[in-house]
Amino acid sequence: MEIRSVTLFSDPELPAPSVSGFLVAARTQFPVRVQSLRLGTRPFPNWLPRESAVTAAMEFVAAWQTAGIDYVSLGPVGLDDDVSWLDLIPDLIGTTGTTFASVTIAGEDGRLSLERCRAMARCIRQVSTIYPDGFGNLFMGGLAAVGPGHPFLPATYHSGGPAHFAIAVESGDLALSAVHAATTLDEARANLIAAIESAAAEIAPVAEALSREFGVAFSGLDFSLAPYPTPEQSLAGAMEALGVPHLGAPGGLFAAAFITEAIDRAQFPRTGFSGLMLPVLEDAVLARRAAEGHISLNDLLVYSAVCGVGLDTIPLPGDISEAALTGILLDVAALASRLRKPLVARLMPLPGLSAGDPTAFDFEYFAPSRVLDVPGGGVDGLLLGQSFLDLQRYRSR
């Protein structure tokens, strides 16, 4: 287990040097390695000057990097923001290589925007060409029912007000060890709950001490059991260790629900998703199952109904149409709206590659896989019509 990030949430007016001491301590004081320090601001359309947004963002990011921040999330273009703000995202992402931005496609109240899904599909296509390998879309996500305060990128943004920090934990190995050490499902669940609570007991007191010392509120831990691309830290591997033949086979949905429910039972200062995270390119076993053709886009959507984050780091054909991307975004928005749960869509069209082609990135957090197939030509008809739609929360009676 490691800490994926210590994420500071603050208004952009906060001077970066004023928290440099906190950032130094946050990188060094925890009993496990801290991989990165991150900053989440208020959504950038609320504070960046429209006429000089890219220049202002570059200066802002540079100041925070000098203070010790590794990645800056400028937050989302909101549902009611002018759609032209999306035109800035490719330049905001491409100028630094450390800047994230996002787009809200559905609110926490069930209001979703068909027009915004279409606009984001165009933006995804544009961002896919920033780098020859399509890596740019790592830095952008569609947010559905995602509120402020999530320490996992690309969902990170601040609601405004006093600064606070949260911790994102990389802990896929805890789930795998818990299952391997068990002889029954009850024992596996108890093992995982105990492992999460033990890990939290190591991390939370240090965070609370930092909060007292530097006067920055601690808002909690996101135990989303994020994987690392080695077999021993694979969440897909933990699901298969329960007895699923391979991810994508029957029983996989149960495994996703089972592990997520154990996280729900654990006692710790909770924030963010705190669920099961299944990013295709970040999980060695999941990436392999995708390469073998066992996992489909719809499988991952179904898992998202009972577990965590949504569609994350999904390798897609480079020539995927805007209509097909729009359909994927609409599916994520609808699922989040009906269930009132936060979901992210981080879709990565890879220029020059087609479904089934191998993928390989020179990036520590990505495993080799293959491009997923997207059936059909994309949405049409009424789905290309009105801008907004309200979906009520699912109710059983």
Side-chain angles (χ1 to χ4, degrees):
M1 186 196 73
E2 295 187 351
I3 290 174
R4 176 70 64 86
S5 78
V6 177
T7 301
L8 176 69
F9 299 87
S10 84
D11 288 331
E13 295 82 9
L14 180 71
S18 69
V19 290
S20 58
F22 165 77
L23 295 174
V24 170
R27 196 183 291 276
T28 59
Q29 295 298 308
F30 287 96
V32 296
R33 183 170 82 101
V34 174
Q35 296 175 2
S36 64
L37 301 180
R38 303 172 181 177
L39 173 73
T41 72
R42 291 198 318 271
F44 70 90
N46 296 345
W47 60 275
L48 278 181
R50 183 66 175 82
E51 65 282 357
S52 58
V54 175
T55 300
M58 289 177 63
E59 294 172 353
F60 178 81
V61 171
W64 278 96
Q65 287 178 325
T66 299
I69 287 290
D70 299 301
Y71 298 100
V72 173
S73 174
L74 299 175
V77 179
L79 281 180
D80 296 313
D81 290 328
D82 192 288
V83 71
S84 65
W85 283 102
L86 272 72
D87 297 336
L88 295 175
I89 288 179
D91 286 336
L92 290 173
I93 289 173
T95 49
T96 67
T98 58
T99 303
F100 286 71
S102 53
V103 179
T104 299
I105 57 176
E108 295 178 89
D109 58 356
R111 181 170 173 252
L112 64 85
S113 173
L114 287 78
E115 184 274 337
R116 191 53 51 90
C117 289
R118 296 193 294 270
M120 187 178 179
R122 290 193 296 272
C123 193
I124 290 171
R125 293 268 296 167
Q126 293 167 354
V127 171
S128 72
T129 65
I130 291 175
Y131 304 108
D133 60 0
F135 193 68
N137 274 300
L138 176 75
F139 299 96
M140 183 175 72
L143 308 186
V146 175
H150 288 262
F152 275 105
L153 294 167
T156 302
Y157 70 98
H158 184 44
S159 60
H164 63 95
F165 73 98
I167 294 171
V169 182
E170 181 186 285
S171 51
D173 54 324
L174 296 186
L176 197 59
S177 297
V179 174
H180 281 314
T183 56
T184 66
L185 286 176
D186 284 339
E187 188 178 356
R189 180 163 60 189
N191 289 347
L192 182 53
I193 293 169
I196 292 171
E197 292 179 347
S198 176
E202 291 185 58
I203 296 171
V206 177
E208 290 158 357
L210 289 173
S211 176
R212 290 191 297 270
E213 180 178 357
F214 293 98
V216 181
F218 170 53
S219 50
L221 301 169
D222 189 339
F223 257 102
S224 286
L225 298 183
Y228 182 81
T230 58
E232 64 273 13
Q233 292 169 287
S234 166
L235 283 168
M239 294 166 68
E240 292 183 358
L242 287 168
V244 179
H246 57 74
L247 218 60
L253 181 64
F254 173 88
F258 176 81
I259 292 174
T260 306
E261 193 262 359
I263 302 169
D264 289 344
R265 287 175 180 252
Q267 300 297 308
F268 60 91
R270 184 182 300 264
T271 195
F273 296 103
S274 289
L276 179 66
M277 186 176 286
L278 293 172
V280 170
L281 292 178
E282 295 182 14
D283 186 303
V285 174
L286 181 56
R288 188 184 314 135
R289 298 298 177 250
E292 294 166 348
H294 291 310
I295 287 287
S296 71
L297 208 56
N298 280 341
D299 290 326
L300 295 167
L301 271 172
V302 169
Y303 295 157
S304 294
V306 298
C307 63
V309 175
L311 298 179
D312 198 9
T313 64
I314 307 295
L316 297 174
D319 63 353
I320 186 172
S321 68
E322 290 178 12
L325 288 168
T326 298
I328 298 170
L329 294 171
L330 285 173
D331 284 347
V332 173
L335 190 61
S337 296
R338 287 288 278 160
L339 298 181
R340 295 295 196 270
K341 64 176 297 186
L343 296 175
V344 170
R346 185 155 49 167
L347 311 176
M348 301 184 68
L350 305 180
L353 297 187
S354 301
D357 286 345
T359 67
F361 291 88
D362 184 18
F363 183 54
E364 176 187 357
Y365 296 97
F366 277 7
S369 187
R370 291 186 183 274
V371 176
L372 293 182
D373 183 35
V374 181
V379 296
D380 201 348
L382 296 180
L383 295 183
L384 298 180
Q386 69 195 75
S387 179
F388 290 99
L389 187 71
D390 292 318
L391 290 181
Q392 291 187 355
R393 182 196 296 266
Y394 171 78
R395 57 186 183 189
S396 59
R397 59 179 180 270

